[in-house]
Structure formats: structure tokens, C-alpha cells
Amino acid sequence: MNFEVGTQLDKIVILVYFAVVMGFGAYFGKYSKTTTDYFFGGRRFAWWLITISIVATGVGSHSFVKYSTKAYQYGLSSTMTYLNDWFFMPLFMFGWLPIIYYTKVRSIPEYFERRFNSTARYLATMMILLYMIGYIAIQFLTLATALYRIYAIPLMLTVVLIAIATTIYMHFGGQTSVIFTDLFQGFILIFAGLLLFFLGIQFLGNQVGINGLSAFWMNLSPLQKLPLAHFNHPPDFNFVGIFWQDGVAGSVGFLFLNQGLIMRFMAAKSVNEGRKAAAINVLLVLPISAIVVSNAGWIGRAITNVAPEMLPLEMAANDVFVAVTNIVSSPGVFGFIIAALCAALMSTADTLVNASSAVIVNDIYRPLSKNVKSEKQELKFARWTSIGVKVIAVLLVPFFNSFDSIYEAHGWFHSTFTPPLVVGVFLGIFWKRFTSQAVIATFLGGAFLMILGQFYPELISPFSHGIELRPGRGYSYIGALYNIIVCAGVGVIVSLFTKSDSSKKLIGLTVYDVHKLKSIFKGSDANEEEGETPVVSWKLDPKSADVLKFSINDMKLMKANPGDLVYIQDSRWWLGGLKSAHSKYGKPHNEDGVVYISSSHLEHGQFVEGLTLRAEKEM
Amino acid sequence: MNFSQTWLPFIYLYGVGGIAFIIGMLIIIRSNALRLTFKRHLKWVWVLIYGFLFYAAIHAVLIYVAIGSQ
């Protein structure tokens, strides 16, 4: 594509945006005192904060480019992958989420060790790291592809500059910075995406001389209005292949295996808040995100139907997003929308970098280091690890640049790395009989059969649902179905011929023990009575042990007993739990409306003198 | 537009996806991970069913409208 994009004003807007986000992220560094804070944000945030930051994680810069491309080519069916995530929600909300939250696993590979053995953990670590670092490389590549046209800087130099910018705020802040910058960036990218849709519709209205929305709708063909693609045609965009690759492997991979997403949910103040975040995300935010990432393509298609000369004739489909944004928006607004693309990149990359760093510290550094390291040493190592992860991602960029399109590179990832892990984690959670030997066979044997399928596509033919085999290129998305079946087949067969693990070892690690998890987490019977959440003022008791002391009447209001778990937060709801702490109820006193807190609560919660706290019994 | 472009993907999505959804619901209820005797768990049952129907309705309406615009 050779057309000029962006003005001086746009360039300034983008640079200002980068500066604001870096400052914003660095500010929240003060909330990361330990590796738990750095990686998990201290398990304290409200559902709405988690929801918006999940949006920013899920919508990567590749999303804008990739979905606009498909929207331009095929219309509304580009939204398919955003609207097929509900099927696995029951298992996620009531199976996986309580398991990871209450067993306090710090990473997916750690779950594999607890459920199976250390070999399973190391294999999972390798696969997850490869997946995440590759994903970061794709993000860098996508944004650099857009920015280097605007600034006329060589592609690889743009990649390096983006990596440095994201490093600055992440290096100091960790998960709290990630969550708060993602909150900010989530709003920015949703607003910018909807703004682009509004501008596009207005532009179309002006061209046709009627109401913009009618002009938009009238200029899509009936086929382009269908929300689902043709069942099995063409090979590069068909419903059934994408259902198995994205709706099944992708959805399970995203919900159950995305370390970044899991860390978000572990930053929630409770499992119920995590469930709310997941439900609102899928029911409300994903449909909006589908419009946000696709609309440039729809508008581009409608513009082409109205006035074919408006968009460059030789425009590559991948360039639709930038080209449409360029013609429908004015100087400055274009810069703002491209800044949203930056927001998408930074918010997805920072989550993945933090997640990769967590996996390296938790699954490689800790198990392999002979001496016990202090929190300070581990935190330092975590911060340097995040830089190392980015360096490797930058080095991988040329490899992904060799794919035909970003859509293909991304699809290759899902179908290659997720099926063995998806099968491993899924059977691990929901089938007690699934053995340690079986999971290793799934990783190794399954991977071997998957590679065989790549070289001999006729093996995939029985699962092809009539999708045409592309000579020399094999099957695309439907390969995911073959991969899932061979991995599951290996796992089930090996399980049936090996001795199952003892029930004792599996306690708390499968869905069948979820009802016991609260008691395991608490160390005694969970108090399930629902009480009130009083607002109290706080007083420091420096000699106090690590418990919170409320009055007898306040304890009655909360239906709490000494030893139960409690959560206190600054009563200003809009802080979303940023200033908060978890603890146990101590011996009650007689001063109603007052809670005595220890120095460690004050340090962790950073409560403000004179301001009240809201208390909530957890269990 | 033919059946492979309109209703077949819909039937496949909510047929195969529906099986996964129902199996998931049965697993979490039978394992007591979701307890129907808990008031706040019961609310979630309705949210889960609502979510399934919500997406099925969105897709069905859009297909219906697209067919009607021919």
C-alpha cells in the first residue's frame, strides 16, 4: 500500500498517548510490594475493574487489523469469534475459576505439577512460554506495521521502540500497573472503535445523502449481513473450521490456559467477583468489542460499494483499518484512533509479558534455585525477566513477518499450541481417571500426531466437514478438530492402561472437590451465612497480630465469627479495591463502627487517615 | 442464499455448542460445584441459561434479517 497516512498533529497525539500511559503505569508501581502483588495484584479488585482490563487484554492490536480484514472481505460474519464463547462458561465459572483461586496456584504449569507431576509441569511451561512469547511478537509486529507507515521509521526499529515503551511502566508496576493502565486503555480503545464507527456512518451518509445508518445497511449485500460464515467454504474463512479452531480450542485456551487472563481473575477480591467479571465480559463487552474491532472493515466495504474510487484500488485487505480510519477521520482524530491501536497492543502485550514473567519465576526460577530467595530478590528477578521476555519477542518478529497475513500467523498459533494443553487441562479438571502418564503422552504423542497431520493432510480429511483441501497448504482451521481428537484419544487410551493417581493427591484439583475448596482455603469450615457490609472508621493498633478487630455488634451485622476471613477496602467504590486488605477476624471489642488494624494492613492497603473502610465477610 | 450459508451454521453452533453447554451444566451440578440449594448459586443458573439464549437470539435475528433483505 502506498498512500500517505497521518499528519504532524496525529504524530504528536500518538506520542503524547505513549507518555501518558507510561506515567500512569509507573505511578501504580508503589502498590507492588511483593511478587504476589507484582503478579496477582494482591487478590483485591472489584469485578468491573477486572472486566475492563480483560477487554483490553482480549482486544489486541492484531484484533483491529485481523477482524477489519475479514469484515471487509465477508461482512458481519467477522464477529463469529467474539460471539461463541458462552458454551464453556459453566465449566469455567464453577469448575476452573474456584480451583485456581482457592488452591492458590500461581501458574498453569504449577497446576500441572500438583495434578500430575513435575515432568508435566516442565512440558506445560515450555509450551505456554512459547505460546505467550510468540503472541507478544505478533502484537509488536501488528502495531509496528501500522506505526512505521506514519513515522517512516524502519519496521524493526519501530518494534524495538514499542518494546521499550511498554517496558518502562511494566518494569516498575507489575500486575497493578497492568490492571490500571488496562482500565484506562480499555476505555480508550472501546471509545475510539465506536467513534470510528460513528464517523464512518456519518461519512457514508454524506456520500449517499441519506441517513448514515441506512446508507451503511443498504450498502452491505445480504450475504455480508449474515452473522455466521458459509458452513464449509471458502477454505480460508468458513464457519465449521473456525468453530473448532476458535469456538472450541480458542475459547477453552483463552478461558482455561491464558496465564494472563487467569492472573486477572486471581486479582479479583473473590471468586464471585471473578464470576461477575467473566459474565459481564462475555455477555456485554465482547459483543461491543466485536463491533469495535470489525467496523472499519464493514464501513470500508460499504464505502467500496458506494464509491469504489474512495479506497486505494490496490489496497491489501490487511491495510483496511488504517485506510478507512484515514479517510473518515480528521487530523488529530486519526492520531487518537491509532493511539487506541497502541492501547490495544500495550494492554495485551503487558499482560502477556507479566504472565510469561510469572511463569518463568514460578515454574523455572523457584523450582531450580537451590537457595530460598527473598521477596526482594524474586521481585528484582521478575522485573528483569519481563525485559528478557520482550527481547526474545522482538527477535521472533521477523519469523512472524514471514507469514502471509497476521490472521494466518495467529491461527497457526491456536491450532498448534493450544490442543495438547487444552486436552491436558480439561481432562485433568473433569476426569479423575486421567493419569500423569496420560498427560505426558498427550503432550508428546499428541504433538507427534499433530505434526504428522501437518505433513499428511489426508489424515485430517475424515474431520474436514467437506472443506476443500488446499494443494500444498493443507487444511487451515479444521486442523484444530483433528488435533483435539488425536490429543484426547492418546490421553484417554493411555489413562485406561495406566494406574490412576491416588484420590488423596487429587484433593481440591478436580471439579468434584470444588464444594470443599472454601474449607481447604480457610483451614476450617466455611461460614456461608450472608451478612451486611458495614462502613467503619479505622484505628491503628501497632501491637496487633495480623487480624482485624471489629465490635461485637458489627460482627453480628456481618454474621461473622473470630477466625472467619474478612476483606476491607477504602469505602470509595470507584477505587475498585485498590486500597484494600484481606485478613481474619480477631477477638471483638465494644467500640461500634471502629476496626483496629495492624501495621501490615496499613502498609498493604495504604489506607488514608480520616477516611472510612467497608468491611465484608468472605467466609 | 442457501441453507449452508444461513441456518446450517446456526444449527451446528447451537447443536454442538449446546451439547458442550449442557454437559458442562450437568458436571457442575452433579459434582456439587454449583449447589442449587444456595440462593446465590441459583441466580447463576439463570444467568448461564440466559447467556446461551441471548447469543442464540442475536444470531437467529441477524440471520432472519439478512434473509429478509434479499
Side-chain angles (χ1 to χ4, degrees):
Chain A
M1 180 179 71
N2 280 318
F3 56 89
E4 281 189 25
V5 287
T7 60
Q8 282 301 325
L9 180 62
D10 295 319
K11 290 173 191 176
I12 293 167
V13 168
I14 295 166
L15 287 175
V16 167
Y17 179 80
F18 264 98
V20 168
V21 170
M22 283 188 284
F24 200 67
Y27 170 77
F28 286 99
K30 69 176 181 176
Y31 291 94
S32 291
K33 305 275 182 208
T34 64
T35 46
T36 306
D37 293 337
Y38 188 79
F39 290 134
F40 305 107
R43 301 174 198 254
R44 57 181 159 193
F45 296 114
W47 66 268
W48 55 269
L49 201 52
I50 303 291
T51 305
I52 302 291
S53 70
I54 290 172
V55 180
T57 300
V59 178
S61 54
H62 72 287
S63 310
F64 281 96
V65 175
K66 168 178 153 176
Y67 291 108
S68 296
T69 304
K70 291 299 162 192
Y72 182 70
Q73 293 170 321
Y74 299 103
L76 300 193
S77 55
S78 62
T79 58
M80 271 191 311
T81 54
Y82 272 77
L83 308 181
N84 62 9
D85 289 297
W86 194 254
F87 306 121
F88 296 99
M89 289 303 275
L91 293 175
F92 174 72
M93 283 189 192
F94 284 87
W96 189 221
L97 184 57
I99 290 175
I100 50 158
Y101 197 91
Y102 290 131
T103 56
K104 301 178 192 170
V105 288
R106 283 170 164 247
S107 67
I108 310 286
E110 188 182 332
Y111 173 79
F112 276 94
E113 175 159 13
R114 289 208 209 169
R115 173 65 178 83
F116 305 107
N117 57 29
S118 55
T119 312
R121 179 183 191 159
Y122 288 123
L123 287 170
T125 302
M126 264 172 46
M127 292 168 96
I128 285 175
L129 279 178
L130 276 172
Y131 174 78
M132 289 195 294
I133 297 174
Y135 210 143
I136 297 164
I138 289 183
Q139 299 296 317
F140 285 163
L141 172 64
T142 317
L143 185 58
T145 307
L147 286 186
Y148 94 107
R149 289 187 201 288
I150 297 168
Y151 288 96
I153 307 171
L155 183 85
M156 278 311 290
L157 182 59
T158 316
V159 168
V160 172
L161 291 174
I162 294 165
I164 291 170
T166 49
T167 298
I168 291 173
Y169 73 86
M170 273 210 64
H171 186 66
F172 300 106
Q175 184 72 330
T176 305
S177 288
V178 169
I179 285 178
F180 275 87
T181 48
D182 281 10
L183 174 74
F184 171 67
Q185 305 201 78
F187 279 120
I188 293 282
L189 68 90
I190 287 178
F191 176 73
L194 295 178
L195 175 69
L196 177 61
F197 195 34
F198 174 76
L199 293 174
I201 281 175
Q202 220 176 27
F203 179 86
L204 274 165
N206 292 339
Q207 293 296 312
V208 182
I210 56 167
N211 172 288
L213 209 54
S214 308
F216 166 69
W217 193 247
M218 276 167 48
N219 282 292
L220 291 179
S221 70
L223 265 180
Q224 287 157 357
K225 289 174 186 165
L226 283 170
L228 301 171
H230 186 289
F231 185 71
N232 56 9
H233 182 79
D236 72 334
F237 192 73
N238 55 77
F239 163 79
V240 71
I242 291 170
F243 170 75
W244 284 102
Q245 183 251 316
D246 185 274
V248 178
S251 294
V252 175
F254 189 69
L255 283 171
F256 290 73
L257 290 164
N258 186 319
Q259 175 75 21
L261 188 82
I262 296 295
M263 286 161 70
R264 281 300 148 77
F265 284 112
M266 288 165 89
K269 72 175 183 183
S270 68
V271 169
N272 208 46
E273 291 291 294
R275 284 182 187 132
K276 283 186 205 168
I280 299 291
N281 181 50
V282 180
L283 282 179
L284 180 69
V285 184
L286 279 187
I288 295 172
S289 304
I291 296 171
V292 163
V293 298
S294 290
N295 74 75
W298 303 334
I299 298 286
R301 173 52 56 202
I303 290 174
T304 308
N305 291 346
V306 173
E309 74 285 357
M310 293 294 295
L311 286 166
L313 282 176
E314 290 174 16
M315 179 185 70
N318 269 345
D319 292 326
V320 165
F321 179 78
V322 176
V324 170
T325 307
N326 193 42
I327 60 169
V328 303
S329 58
S330 52
V333 176
F334 174 76
F336 173 70
I337 292 170
I338 296 297
L341 196 70
C342 304
L345 166 276
M346 295 207 282
S347 52
T348 304
D350 60 16
T351 300
L352 289 166
V353 169
N354 198 38
S356 307
S357 174
V359 168
I360 291 169
V361 169
N362 195 54
D363 301 293
I364 299 175
Y365 181 70
R366 278 189 190 137
L368 294 183
S369 65
K370 286 173 186 159
N371 305 319
V372 177
K373 304 286 180 193
S374 69
E375 275 288 349
K376 207 174 168 186
Q377 283 172 307
E378 285 193 348
L379 196 57
K380 196 174 170 189
F381 183 78
R383 285 180 165 142
W384 286 107
T385 304
S386 73
I387 295 178
V389 164
K390 280 183 193 153
V391 171
I392 299 170
V394 169
L395 295 174
L396 283 174
V397 168
F399 167 69
F400 293 108
N401 202 21
S402 67
F403 277 80
D404 281 352
S405 70
I406 289 156
Y407 201 91
E408 270 196 45
H410 196 230
W412 177 81
F413 253 117
H414 269 303
S415 53
T416 309
F417 287 100
T418 49
L421 288 164
V422 161
V423 169
V425 79
F426 222 67
L427 292 181
I429 301 165
F430 302 111
W431 192 34
K432 275 187 167 180
R433 184 72 184 76
F434 192 47
T435 66
S436 304
Q437 295 95 322
V439 77
I440 292 163
T442 301
F443 286 161
L444 300 177
F448 171 74
L449 291 169
M450 281 165 49
I451 294 167
L452 218 57
Q454 296 275 325
F455 286 104
Y456 301 100
E458 48 277 23
L459 289 170
I460 302 174
S461 295
F463 308 98
S464 70
H465 287 71
I467 296 169
E468 184 189 330
L469 173 62
R470 298 172 304 175
R473 295 172 67 193
Y475 291 103
S476 52
Y477 317 106
I478 199 67
L481 173 59
Y482 163 83
N483 292 345
I484 290 169
I485 287 177
V486 293
C487 289
V490 169
V492 170
I493 291 167
V494 175
S495 281
L496 295 176
F497 288 98
T498 48
K499 197 175 164 223
S500 58
D501 297 309
S502 73
S503 313
K504 211 173 165 187
K505 187 191 164 196
L506 302 184
I507 288 176
L509 298 170
T510 67
V511 71
Y512 305 98
D513 288 328
V514 164
H515 61 287
K516 298 179 199 159
L517 282 171
K518 277 190 172 181
S519 305
I520 295 170
F521 181 80
K522 187 183 170 190
S524 59
D525 285 343
N527 176 352
E528 299 278 9
E529 277 192 294
E530 281 186 57
E532 292 178 35
T533 57
V535 173
V536 292
S537 51
W538 61 273
K539 287 182 182 172
L540 183 65
D541 179 4
K543 290 178 198 161
S544 164
D546 196 18
V547 289
L548 293 170
K549 292 175 191 164
F550 292 86
S551 74
I552 295 170
N553 289 331
D554 288 337
M555 293 277 278
K556 273 185 193 161
L557 266 179
M558 290 182 271
K559 296 191 178 168
N561 301 312
D564 286 346
L565 302 185
V566 58
Y567 170 81
I568 47 164
Q569 60 175 322
D570 189 306
S571 57
R572 291 170 292 175
W573 70 268
W574 46 269
L575 283 174
L578 179 65
K579 293 176 183 291
S580 62
H582 286 275
S583 191
K584 283 186 177 181
Y585 287 96
K587 213 173 152 188
H589 53 74
N590 290 314
E591 232 176 308
D592 287 348
V594 174
V595 59
Y596 283 91
I597 67 171
S598 70
S599 307
S600 71
H601 294 134
L602 181 60
E603 192 196 5
H604 194 265
Q606 305 209 3
F607 301 126
V608 182
E609 210 162 347
L611 292 183
T612 53
L613 306 176
R614 183 173 289 280
E616 193 177 323
K617 184 192 72 194
E618 285 187 88
M619 61 178 85
Chain B
M1 288 195 289
N2 59 40
F3 185 63
S4 297
Q5 291 166 313
T6 54
W7 293 109
L8 180 58
F10 178 84
I11 292 165
Y12 193 95
L13 179 61
Y14 290 97
V16 179
I19 291 169
F21 182 78
I22 290 167
I23 290 174
M25 290 295 285
L26 288 176
I27 288 176
I28 59 172
I29 291 171
R30 293 188 69 172
S31 64
N32 272 333
L34 185 151
R35 295 199 221 185
L36 296 174
T37 49
F38 283 10
K39 229 192 235 174
R40 54 176 188 275
H41 278 198
L42 203 57
K43 274 185 205 160
W44 281 114
V45 173
W46 291 113
V47 171
L48 287 165
I49 294 169
Y50 167 80
F52 184 86
L53 298 176
F54 170 73
Y55 275 115
I58 288 182
H59 280 131
V61 167
L62 284 172
I63 292 170
Y64 185 77
V65 170
I67 292 171
S69 71
Q70 277 185 103

